Amino acid sequence: EQRLRDDAIAEALKCPDQNFLAPLYDSIIKNRREYLYTIKSKSLVKHLMSTGQGLVLRDYYMRNGRWQDAFNLLDDMIFKEKRWTLKDRIVFLRQALNCANKVIDEQRFGRGRDQKLSWYGDDLGGDRSQSTIDSDKIEDYEKNITSAKLQQQLKAALEDLKEKEPNPEKKEEIAGLSQQLDQSLFSLRDLYEVAQQKGLWETCLAILGSTSEPARDIVELLWNNLIVTVAGPDVRGWRQRFLERCKELRQLVNKHDAFPLAFICKKLEVQSATCDRDAAKRMRDDNNPFMAQVFDELQVPLKDQIRAYTQLLNEEGLGTYGGAYVETVIDIAKRSHEKLERKDDAEEEVFENVPSLLTLIALTNNMVHKISDDNMKKLREADYELRRYLNTRL
């Protein structure tokens, strides 16, 4: 019975009258989507175009291996049509990139046997010009995907800001900006300007992190603004507020140009030392010190922690806030030794960095006249335990 119906539909599809075919196509689109993809007809493509059924046409092209046509269609949907959301555009960008790679493969290896569709003319698609696809186009699309994801991050940050904004006029302004971000793709420069205007420092840093060699002074200014903003006028609980922001910042850890760790550590140490000194002291004496929590939340590799504090001590000595630096160096050494003793998955990472950690301890020890007797004792104990482990291992 199904075969008879299919045969009847096939005969009906031979009719040249587009007015007759239009309702038939609509019925097939609604009820027989898989069958739709098997129809080899230019009039079907024209119908889908004329009725604005871009998503169906996209799937139709892709199911039939028409990668160039699918790419052209998606390119228009991304950059010319206003009806799609930012989330839709990100999906389209990824699909267009996949289609572009398929076209490159065809150019390199030739079309597959199942993609030789003689029924389909190269001129199909009206006046739409064929976009040249090459390695530059692939690179452009990869950049567009990165930019669109940052735009999505900015939009989410604006939505969060809108919920916290008590002023109705400002709330409406933020809502308008968020709506604009949903209507088209922005350049990185435009995204940065919006984020900077609204004080969304994490987003500013993420945008700069996606560029090559961002200006160091701007990056440091943004980190300073972020830390100062989190601390705010009420310093109580600022450490916890910063730790809660670390998840958003984690993506920057491996982008060293946007993650000047020594500068960040210095600012956090200074903030801890100047905001509620008693609380800062308690944090340092706690079994889970603040900087240790920061490193864990940001997932900072041990080698980067050692490098940051080596840089701080070389550039500044112990200075005004040197006591805090010593506390952190002691904690890094203590935590490293504990990992070695546990012999868990982190043991190899620590073992590889023991020599540089011993160098950091020695550098700190050289400032003996500025270190308390208690801290000097802790440093010597850490040095002894690490050397003992190293000798045993070697």
Side-chain angles (χ1 to χ4, degrees):
E1 184 179 345
Q2 184 63 53
R3 184 173 179 178
L4 289 174
R5 278 201 292 267
D6 290 347
D7 290 342
I9 293 173
E11 285 299 316
L13 290 172
K14 294 178 182 178
C15 177
D17 187 350
Q18 192 73 19
N19 292 328
F20 170 80
L21 291 173
L24 180 57
Y25 286 146
D26 289 337
S27 176
I28 295 172
I29 291 167
K30 182 179 179 180
N31 302 305
R32 300 286 307 279
R33 186 63 63 86
E34 288 299 317
Y35 181 78
L36 177 79
Y37 300 138
T38 68
I39 299 173
K40 308 298 187 287
S41 169
K42 294 181 182 181
S43 66
L44 171 59
V45 175
K46 291 177 180 177
H47 175 74
L48 294 174
M49 286 181 175
S50 64
T51 54
Q53 301 191 64
L55 295 178
V56 179
L57 184 55
R58 172 204 61 185
D59 294 342
Y60 181 79
Y61 281 150
M62 293 173 70
R63 290 291 291 270
N64 283 285
R66 304 298 302 192
W67 306 117
Q68 175 76 64
D69 299 298
F71 175 85
N72 287 344
L73 176 66
L74 286 163
D75 193 69
D76 278 358
M77 292 165 70
I78 294 163
F79 297 107
K80 295 181 180 179
E81 298 183 8
K82 297 293 186 182
R83 55 179 170 148
W84 308 109
T85 66
L86 177 59
K87 186 176 179 180
D88 292 331
R89 291 177 208 281
I90 292 174
V91 172
F92 298 159
L93 281 165
R94 288 176 174 146
Q95 290 175 337
L97 179 60
N98 180 60
C99 291
N101 281 314
K102 295 283 189 181
V103 172
I104 294 289
D105 288 344
E106 286 182 354
Q107 293 169 352
R108 187 177 303 160
F109 305 113
R111 293 175 64 85
R113 183 177 58 187
D114 60 328
Q115 295 174 349
K116 293 179 180 177
L117 306 177
S118 59
W119 59 272
Y120 188 87
D122 289 337
D123 62 337
L124 195 61
D127 296 329
R128 292 158 45 79
S129 60
Q130 295 283 306
S131 178
T132 302
I133 296 178
D134 52 21
S135 58
D136 290 338
K137 180 68 72 174
I138 297 291
E139 185 177 349
D140 286 344
Y141 260 77
E142 289 172 344
K143 290 179 180 178
N144 283 330
I145 291 173
T146 299
S147 179
K149 289 166 69 175
L150 289 168
Q151 185 165 329
Q152 190 175 47
Q153 180 179 337
L154 174 57
K155 185 176 184 299
L158 285 173
E159 291 293 333
D160 186 55
L161 186 65
K162 182 184 72 173
E163 293 303 315
K164 297 175 182 177
E165 177 56 60
N167 186 304
E169 291 184 2
K170 291 183 178 180
K171 186 186 287 283
E172 186 177 351
E173 178 199 356
I174 296 169
L177 283 172
S178 179
Q179 187 176 8
Q180 288 178 39
L181 290 172
D182 220 21
Q183 293 174 343
S184 62
L185 296 180
F186 282 44
S187 68
L188 285 177
R189 180 183 294 275
D190 290 339
L191 293 177
Y192 182 82
E193 287 180 358
V194 172
Q196 185 182 42
Q197 177 190 355
K198 295 303 177 185
L200 301 172
W201 310 122
E202 295 100 318
T203 308
C204 286
L205 286 163
I207 293 168
L208 283 183
S210 71
T211 64
S212 59
E213 300 182 2
R216 183 179 180 84
D217 57 337
I218 295 177
V219 171
E220 291 182 351
L221 176 63
L222 290 173
W223 275 103
N224 181 71
N225 289 347
L226 171 61
I227 293 169
V228 170
T229 301
V230 171
D234 182 5
V235 298
R236 290 173 298 178
W238 80 270
R239 296 174 185 81
Q240 187 57 41
R241 292 197 296 273
F242 183 83
L243 291 171
E244 289 169 358
R245 306 279 276 269
C246 283
K247 186 175 181 180
E248 297 176 51
L249 300 167
R250 195 178 294 164
Q251 61 181 307
L252 299 170
V253 171
N254 294 323
K255 299 175 180 178
H256 296 294
D257 288 336
F259 192 75
L261 185 58
F263 177 85
I264 296 166
C265 291
K266 176 183 176 181
K267 287 296 178 181
L268 291 174
E269 296 278 23
V270 170
Q271 192 72 38
S272 283
T274 54
C275 293
D276 191 353
R277 293 178 183 275
D278 292 338
K281 184 65 171 64
R282 285 200 298 274
M283 290 297 292
R284 288 196 299 269
D285 288 345
D286 192 81
N287 289 328
N288 196 13
F290 174 56
M291 290 308 300
Q293 295 178 67
V294 171
F295 293 145
D296 287 345
E297 287 296 325
L298 290 174
Q299 299 177 358
V300 179
L302 176 60
K303 64 178 181 180
D304 292 342
Q305 300 175 35
I306 296 170
R307 186 183 297 119
Y309 278 84
T310 300
Q311 179 182 334
L312 284 175
L313 290 173
N314 275 324
E315 291 178 355
E316 302 183 17
L318 292 181
T320 306
Y321 302 102
Y325 297 165
V326 174
E327 295 282 354
T328 303
V329 171
I330 291 171
D331 182 65
I332 292 172
K334 177 184 174 184
R335 280 156 48 94
S336 297
H337 181 251
E338 289 172 352
K339 290 176 182 177
L340 294 173
E341 290 292 305
R342 288 198 301 267
K343 299 185 182 300
D344 58 14
D345 294 340
E347 181 182 4
E348 285 306 311
E349 181 197 8
V350 176
F351 174 67
E352 292 173 359
N353 289 283
V354 166
S356 58
L357 182 52
L358 289 171
T359 301
L360 175 59
I361 292 173
L363 177 64
T364 312
N365 267 324
N366 288 338
M367 302 174 185
V368 59
H369 59 288
K370 294 185 178 180
I371 303 177
S372 68
D373 291 341
D374 184 52
N375 280 339
M376 181 60 70
K377 180 182 177 182
K378 291 178 181 177
L379 281 170
R380 287 172 177 166
E381 288 175 353
D383 182 85
Y384 172 79
E385 293 295 343
L386 289 170
R387 289 184 185 280
R388 185 170 66 85
Y389 173 86
L390 196 60
N391 290 333
T392 304
R393 182 72 184 264
L394 294 178

